[in-house]
């Protein structure tokens, strides 16, 4: 749907092309090292189906040459047999997604032809300077038969000329979806308005669509996601209770409540929170908005320093801010 | 500043007419029954001055005939002597505000002429059907010499015709500021866009300005506040760490970081969080986004049922949602 068409809708309408992508296992896995129980994963799969979610991302396709399987839960690697143990042949409307980082995925070997895989979509995560390498992956994955997205990370640190050049290259590739990714939770909604316009215009001209992946450093992940939606962005990422690296992501519960397409139902997701997310929090798994993430967000910095600060049980926020300003 | 002028600014500019109102003691007092220590109040006053905040609201001017002083902290009543014990003659740029609810304040007796008071601004909180009574208060308070705002509460439950009629009445009064109040945390930013336009157009035509007071039920309090700001709303309410009834308010830390006027500095406020808010949370004072508030928000309901649910240590969210749907 074009920006123009979407601008005509009211809050009682819906754009039928909007699709919701659950990234709980993938972005949330960065919080707990992918240590989800099998019951958690099965129940999340069921909740996604019942809630009408369109895609469920199971995790990463990480190279076992770079990452030792002893150090991570299985969703760091998303082996075919592990996904099938949950979804069987996945005879459901819910599509299966995995993420593959440029330079960290042995995609030629580890990603099978689509006919041999239950995976539907591969999301290629790239930094701006890796776009030529990303395109080589994209073409391989498209030839294998997958839906393919490209997620340009940390775009708040990319200058406009480089971004325009990157978008041009990607629009010339076979990729299906180009993602606007606010890795650092830096953007305000009015910046998302303009960036969404840029992405949607570029994508539409070459028959592609746009997705958004937001972070909650400034408690704007949901606001930014629905603003992008208003501007014609079609694939919306969210995680249950916002579970994701650092400040986390757009809350699935909020997003499903916002979307008016009757296929979506937030109740099964809220029941999943009751049954699983409260337990996870009680066990001490920590994510979500906090002052250190606000500070890295407004300073357009990687959240790793804030994660270390919080893991170190520190609360001297003002010292932390001065440390951030020193290294900027 | 007009909507038009504000629409011309970029994120590097600032509108000099923007003013920040700290409501921590007043809306936060609804969380802990106004049981703030004197040290908390003094340090908050100092932090507000250092941060460049424009107004500090100390609490309510509640009638002691309706509310027994034994049941509340002193900021439920905001006696002149109690405010002066903190601020002296308040020879600072920070102005002092109190809130007076229509029908709950003995304003003729309890609010002194301005020449005898250290209070600068009185905010009259009204439901739509009380506007004639609110106007009687407004005229009394203006005659006494105060800056006066009127805060139309629960506007998400008011139909358009009644709202238009209410705004017309208020525009004919002596009030200085008309507040857009999202009591239930119901609105999305695109609704705030339209409402802000309506309020600003009505107010400008009669030489008044507009304020916003948002609640965080859908984690949109900050997003809605900066959207209103973009549309020409001038007085922006916030509380430290979002402390306020139920899901709380727009976070002062985020708002000060967003505003580009160099008079604002978020650091003293973040230090206040370090020194006071973490302790408050550790003592078990509970506020902020949670699923029950999301549900009352999306259902446009008063948060009291969600507050009871949380105080009752319940976590059966789906039952709670069905209860809400039953009473709607």
């Amino acid at each position: 749907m074009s920006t123009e068409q979407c601008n005509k809708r009211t809050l009682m309408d819906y754009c039928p092309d909007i699709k919701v992508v659950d990234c709980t296992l993938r972005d949330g896995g960065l919080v707990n090292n992918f240590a989800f129980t099998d019951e958690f994963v099965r129940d999340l799969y069921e909740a996604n189906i019942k809630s009408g979610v369109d895609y469920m991302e199971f995790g990463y396709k990480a190279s076992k040459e770079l990452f030792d399987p002893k150090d991570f839960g299985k969703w760091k690697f998303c082996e075919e047999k592990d996904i099938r143990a949950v979804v069987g042949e996945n005879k459901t409307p819910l599509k299966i997604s995995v993420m593959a980082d440029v330079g960290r995925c042995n995609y030629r070997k580890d990603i099978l032809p689509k006919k041999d895989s239950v995976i539907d979509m591969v999301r290629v995560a790239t930094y701006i300077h890796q776009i030529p390498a990303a395109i080589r992956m994209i073409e391989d994955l498209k030839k294998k038969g997958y839906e393919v997205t490209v997620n340009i990370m940390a775009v708040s640190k990319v200058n406009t000329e480089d971004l325009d050049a990157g978008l041009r290259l990607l629009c010339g590739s076979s990729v299906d979806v180009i993602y606007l990714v606010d890795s650092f939770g830096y953007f305000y909604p009015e910046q998302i308005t303009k960036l969404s316009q840029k992405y949607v215009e570029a994508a539409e001209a070459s028959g592609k669509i746009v997705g958004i992946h937001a972070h909650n450093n400034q408690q704007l992940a949901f606001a930014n996601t629905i603003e992008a939606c208003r501007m014609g962005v079609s694939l919306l990422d969210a995680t249950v209770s916002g579970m994701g690296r650092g400040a986390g992501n757009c809350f699935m519960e909020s997003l499903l409540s916002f979307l008016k397409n009757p296929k979506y139902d937030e109740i099964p997701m809220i029941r999943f929170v009751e049954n699983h997310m409260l337990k996870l929090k009680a066990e001490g798994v920590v994510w979500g908005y906090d002052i250190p993430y606000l500070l890295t967000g407004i300073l357009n910095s990687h959240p790793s320093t804030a994660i270390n600060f919080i893991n170190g049980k520190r609360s001297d926020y003002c010292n932390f801010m001065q440390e951030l300003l020193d290294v900027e």
Side-chain angles (χ1 to χ4, degrees), chain A:
Chain A
M1 183 165 293
S2 72
T3 307
E4 199 187 339
Q5 283 172 291
C6 258
N7 277 343
K8 280 184 200 149
R9 84 165 165 76
T10 71
L11 278 169
M12 290 297 123
D13 305 325
Y14 62 90
C15 301
D17 68 319
I18 296 293
K19 293 194 168 29
V20 175
V21 182
D22 165 45
C23 315
T24 309
L25 295 182
R26 204 268 310 156
D27 213 320
L30 296 170
V31 177
N32 70 348
N33 230 3
F34 306 90
F36 296 104
T37 65
D38 288 348
E39 193 195 1
F40 183 101
V41 177
R42 269 175 227 279
D43 286 358
L44 180 59
Y45 175 67
E46 293 298 334
N48 274 321
I49 293 169
K50 285 185 190 153
S51 289
V53 167
D54 301 280
Y55 294 87
M56 174 170 169
E57 190 159 75
F58 273 72
Y60 285 95
K61 273 284 189 188
S63 162
K64 289 187 179 173
E65 289 165 27
L66 289 172
F67 299 96
D68 189 333
K70 286 199 305 290
D71 298 336
F72 299 92
K74 57 189 162 192
W75 306 111
K76 176 86 174 175
F77 307 99
C78 285
E79 289 198 23
E80 195 68 27
K81 68 170 170 44
D82 290 325
I83 301 179
R84 285 186 192 265
V86 180
V87 310
E89 287 299 314
N90 187 35
K91 300 289 184 207
T92 78
L94 176 69
K95 292 183 176 180
I96 308 297
S97 161
V98 293
M99 181 161 273
D101 283 342
V102 171
R104 293 175 162 192
C105 171
N106 234 332
Y107 60 95
R108 293 189 198 279
K109 173 170 148 285
D110 288 342
I111 302 186
L112 308 174
K114 167 67 194 127
K115 66 177 173 50
D116 303 321
S117 173
V118 77
I119 296 166
D120 298 285
M121 181 164 81
V122 182
R123 306 209 299 173
V124 176
T126 181
Y127 287 104
I128 190 82
H129 66 278
Q130 299 170 316
I131 282 181
I135 290 176
R136 202 162 56 176
M137 280 178 76
I138 289 164
E139 301 306 335
D140 178 82
L141 295 166
K142 283 302 298 177
K143 255 185 222 138
K144 283 175 174 161
Y146 292 98
E147 293 178 46
V148 180
T149 82
V150 63
N151 298 33
I152 315 170
M153 296 183 289
V155 78
S156 54
K157 288 226 169 184
V158 176
N159 72 53
T160 304
E161 283 163 40
D162 288 352
L163 179 57
D164 290 343
L167 287 175
R168 266 197 307 277
L169 283 171
L170 291 169
C171 286
S173 80
S174 309
V175 80
D176 302 294
V177 186
I178 304 176
Y179 258 86
L180 169 52
V181 184
D182 183 14
S183 303
F184 301 156
Y186 170 76
F187 290 122
Y188 294 113
E190 60 188 285
Q191 295 168 297
I192 293 294
T193 312
K194 289 179 190 165
L195 279 167
S196 298
Q197 269 171 336
K198 180 196 284 279
Y199 277 64
V200 169
E201 275 168 28
E204 272 182 3
S206 44
K208 304 182 188 309
I209 61 173
V210 177
I212 178 146
H213 182 85
H215 276 272
N216 210 28
N217 295 61
Q218 305 201 59
Q219 296 188 75
L220 292 172
F222 174 48
N224 284 342
T225 300
I226 64 180
E227 175 61 13
C229 172
R230 195 174 73 82
M231 299 311 295
V233 169
S234 315
L235 259 65
L236 311 179
D237 282 17
T239 63
V240 186
S241 297
M243 186 183 186
R245 193 200 317 247
N249 306 104
C250 174
F251 281 51
M252 181 63 84
E253 306 89 294
S254 309
L255 184 61
L256 294 179
S257 305
F258 171 78
L259 294 171
K260 294 296 178 290
N261 188 334
K263 73 171 281 204
Y264 295 121
D265 180 3
E266 68 273 24
I267 300 280
M269 210 48 89
I270 289 174
R271 196 173 292 283
F272 184 83
V273 176
E274 265 182 58
N275 294 341
H276 286 286
M277 302 310 283
L278 294 178
K279 205 168 132 228
L280 221 57
K281 286 251 174 192
E283 288 166 1
V285 182
V286 175
W287 72 92
Y289 171 84
D290 202 347
I291 294 251
Y293 299 123
L294 172 68
L295 298 178
T296 61
I298 62 181
L299 291 173
N300 200 7
S301 298
H302 195 282
S304 59
T305 50
I307 293 170
N308 291 340
F309 179 92
I310 286 172
N311 288 344
K313 312 274 181 205
R314 287 174 61 185
S315 63
D316 54 325
Y317 303 134
C318 290
N319 291 337
F320 177 63
M321 185 159 190
Q322 295 315 314
E323 290 166 26
L324 285 177
L325 290 166
D326 276 347
V327 298
E328 277 290 308

